[in-house]
Amino acid sequence: MSKEKRMPKLWEALLVMACLVALLAVGIIIYGVDPHVPMFCGVIVAALMALHLGYKWEEIEKSMMDGIYKALQSIMILMIVGILIGVWIDAGVVPTMIYYGLKVLKPSIFFIATVLITSITSLATGTSWGTMGTMGVALMGIGFGLGMPAGMTAGAIISGAYFGDKMSPLSDTTNLAPAMAGTDVITHVKAMLIPTAITYAITLIVFGVFGFSAYHGGEADVSRVVEFSNALNAAEGGLFNINPLLLLPPIIVIVAVAMKVPAIPGITLGILSGAVLGMIFQPDCTLGSLFDFGINGYYFSDEALAFMESTLSEDTCYTMTRLLESGGILGMMFSVSMTIIAMMFGGIMEYTHQLEVIVNKLKVFIKGPASLVVVTEVTCVFSNATMPEQYISIVVPGSMYADEYRKMGLHPGVCSSALEGAGTVTSALIPWNTCGVFIKDTLDIAAWGAGGYGPYAIFNWLMPIINAACAFIGVTLKDLDGKPYKKSKAAK
């Protein structure tokens, strides 16, 4: 007999969340496995609860498909970035960026330069993923060459990339947040300016201190830099023909997206331009090798490996292979499969209102405008951790709290700023979130643990704190007319 559908009780929704968190904790922390199967077990628990609530299997299956559909753009970008990385390494684009970076950057300014470079790139393209998959990969290589800790380098890359993603009108999240809050993208960007500028300034100062204090005004292991640089350049006995023209593909991507070419065609232009230049400048770069590395990721031939082992130190060989053997569609399947499973879970939780009852309970903690901002941010982080996709961390809290802001007489920009200030940036700090998984695949470094990037992704974890502090001080609170907020003007 079919049961009548009903709203879940709070304990039922909390039970599903507790099971998911427990499964992930046991799998990742105790057994050290990847999060995919524990997450799928969470999907099973959510589906069983949905059946208990009276939903038919056909509805549950459709909710999973709907969830996956919402992430299809992310999945396509993942695969295309995988192709781009494999092609750019084979074409010599990434080695060229690393080579010239080693010639220009000094340890004392490396971290600040990294934040600025990724910020500009992400602002121009509107994509943190594209920035990390291109400039980020190159800067990781430069960091290796200069002897920088990988965690610090990745933290600087992520901080800059997410600053640009958060503030760029071209970014999907920067357009999604105001859409959920009920305002326009320009008003949204203006609402974020003060807390974001404060956070960004602190981030630059901290990375400046890292550079100057830890590396004593630019002293570097010159021998390591020279060996790594020479290993890249065929003219100095290395593996790739280095030419300034090979810097054109990343410039083409930035210009294309800055001219409002959509992200996927823009990145594809980078792939095509890299392929053409690669076949011109690299003797071993052929159409066949591009097809191969586009699917499998770049890997050194047996001859290249033998050459490196006979001419380079063990440390430099390790750096070369760890950095350059990456990319490809198959190299991104870890992220793609994680995204699909995560969105299966998210689709069920959203359709059956299981998350909604939890969020509604949080509203009892709202005592005023500042606490509303804090509760919104906490919900965004909670969504990123339990329904691990940054789009959900904006959509669900936005739909839950938008009316609360209006009832309190607050401008929708205050809501959109809170959504972006926590939902977008904290996704990178959750290892099983689609963003955290992408970063691990792309930059080859985990979020937490020994040498992880989490503590150094300063912009990402500081942003929601500064945004909340600004709300408590009142500098970011605006009324429905866009004027400084006064409680007496609150809508009744």
Side-chain angles (χ1 to χ4, degrees):
M1 294 178 64
S2 61
K3 296 172 59 178
E4 184 177 348
K5 288 185 290 186
R6 63 174 176 85
M7 284 288 290
K9 297 176 182 178
L10 178 62
W11 71 265
E12 292 171 326
L14 288 175
L15 177 62
V16 174
M17 291 299 183
C19 289
L20 174 65
V21 173
L23 288 163
L24 289 168
V26 170
I28 296 172
I29 299 174
I30 297 180
Y31 293 108
V33 300
D34 292 324
H36 298 63
V37 176
M39 176 60 72
F40 181 72
C41 291
V43 174
I44 296 173
V45 175
L48 290 173
M49 182 59 72
L51 290 170
H52 173 70
L53 294 172
Y55 290 88
K56 298 179 181 179
W57 171 250
E58 291 76 10
E59 294 177 284
I60 298 171
E61 186 173 15
K62 184 178 183 301
S63 71
M64 290 190 286
M65 298 303 105
D66 290 342
I68 295 170
Y69 179 78
K70 293 177 182 178
L72 280 181
Q73 184 186 47
S74 298
I75 291 170
M76 289 188 291
I77 291 175
L78 276 167
M79 293 190 292
I80 294 171
V81 168
I83 297 172
L84 180 139
I85 294 173
V87 168
W88 275 16
I89 296 174
D90 186 33
V93 175
V94 172
T96 296
M97 289 192 287
I98 297 172
Y99 178 82
Y100 286 119
L102 289 171
K103 298 297 183 184
V104 174
L105 291 178
K106 296 180 180 179
S108 61
I109 65 168
F110 172 72
F111 292 128
I112 291 179
T114 295
V115 174
L116 292 173
I117 289 169
T118 52
S119 297
I120 294 169
T121 304
S122 193
L123 274 168
T125 62
T127 168
S128 56
W129 285 19
T131 298
M132 291 184 289
T134 54
M135 294 298 183
V137 173
L139 288 166
M140 285 297 290
I142 296 169
F144 277 123
L146 292 173
M148 301 297 189
M152 285 188 185
T153 304
I157 291 167
I158 294 162
S159 293
Y162 274 86
F163 162 79
D165 191 344
K166 180 179 184 292
M167 297 300 293
S168 174
L170 302 176
S171 168
D172 47 7
T173 57
T174 309
N175 285 275
L176 181 61
M180 296 307 303
T183 187
D184 63 271
V185 66
I186 300 303
T187 303
H188 168 57
V189 171
K190 289 179 180 178
M192 296 190 293
L193 281 177
I194 293 176
T196 305
I198 294 172
T199 307
Y200 193 64
I202 295 173
T203 300
L204 288 175
I205 291 170
V206 172
F207 278 114
V209 171
F210 283 164
F212 283 102
S213 65
Y215 297 97
H216 309 292
E219 293 298 324
D221 183 353
V222 178
S223 62
R224 183 179 180 183
V225 173
V226 170
E227 182 182 30
F228 186 47
S229 176
N230 291 347
L232 293 170
N233 191 358
E236 298 168 351
L239 296 172
F240 298 92
N241 288 325
I242 303 298
N243 191 292
L245 290 176
L246 290 170
L247 297 175
L248 280 175
I251 295 174
I252 289 172
V253 173
I254 294 171
V255 171
V257 180
M259 293 177 65
K260 299 186 178 180
V261 175
I264 291 176
I267 296 173
T268 302
L269 286 175
I271 295 173
L272 296 175
S273 59
V276 171
L277 291 172
M279 288 188 285
I280 294 173
F281 289 104
Q282 310 301 332
D284 296 330
C285 180
T286 65
L287 188 60
S289 70
L290 293 169
F291 287 162
D292 182 14
F293 298 140
I295 178 67
N296 296 306
Y298 184 82
Y299 56 90
F300 288 106
S301 65
D302 293 339
E303 294 79 6
L305 288 172
F307 169 78
M308 289 192 295
E309 291 171 357
S310 64
T311 58
L312 305 176
S313 66
E314 182 179 349
D315 184 57
T316 301
C317 284
Y318 172 77
T319 300
M320 291 279 287
T321 54
R322 181 184 176 189
L323 176 66
L324 297 179
E325 289 194 337
S326 63
I329 293 176
L330 295 181
M332 291 297 174
M333 282 301 106
F334 182 99
S335 299
V336 169
S337 57
M338 184 68 232
T339 301
I340 291 173
I341 297 172
M343 295 311 294
M344 290 167 63
F345 180 84
I348 296 173
M349 296 299 289
E350 183 176 0
Y351 183 75
T352 60
H353 307 285
Q354 293 185 57
L355 183 65
E356 182 180 340
V357 297
I358 298 175
V359 173
N360 285 338
K361 212 62 178 175
L362 290 172
K363 291 181 181 179
V364 301
F365 298 103
I366 300 172
K367 305 300 182 183
S371 63
L372 176 57
V373 170
V374 172
V375 170
T376 303
E377 291 187 330
V378 169
T379 307
C380 290
V381 177
F382 180 77
S383 298
N384 265 327
T386 58
M387 302 176 66
E389 166 58 50
Q390 67 175 185
Y391 299 124
I392 291 181
S393 73
I394 292 174
V395 171
V396 174
S399 62
M400 293 295 102
Y401 296 119
D403 285 341
E404 295 297 316
Y405 282 83
R406 293 186 183 90
K407 291 177 182 177
M408 203 170 287
L410 290 165
H411 193 278
V414 181
C415 176
S416 65
S417 179
L419 294 173
E420 186 103 63
T424 297
V425 299
T426 61
S427 59
L429 304 176
I430 310 296
W432 54 86
N433 189 282
T434 53
C435 296
V437 173
F438 175 84
I439 292 169
K440 184 180 184 301
D441 275 353
T442 304
L443 302 184
D444 195 21
I445 185 169
W448 303 100
Y453 66 77
Y456 305 106
I458 297 167
F459 181 84
N460 298 65
W461 56 256
L462 186 60
M463 184 68 246
I465 298 173
I466 297 297
N467 195 60
C470 287
F472 275 104
I473 296 171
V475 296
T476 57
L477 299 181
K478 304 293 182 182
D479 64 21
L480 293 170
D481 296 323
K483 298 176 181 179
Y485 176 81
K486 293 182 181 179
K487 189 173 182 180
S488 60
K489 291 185 178 181
K492 303 298 183 183

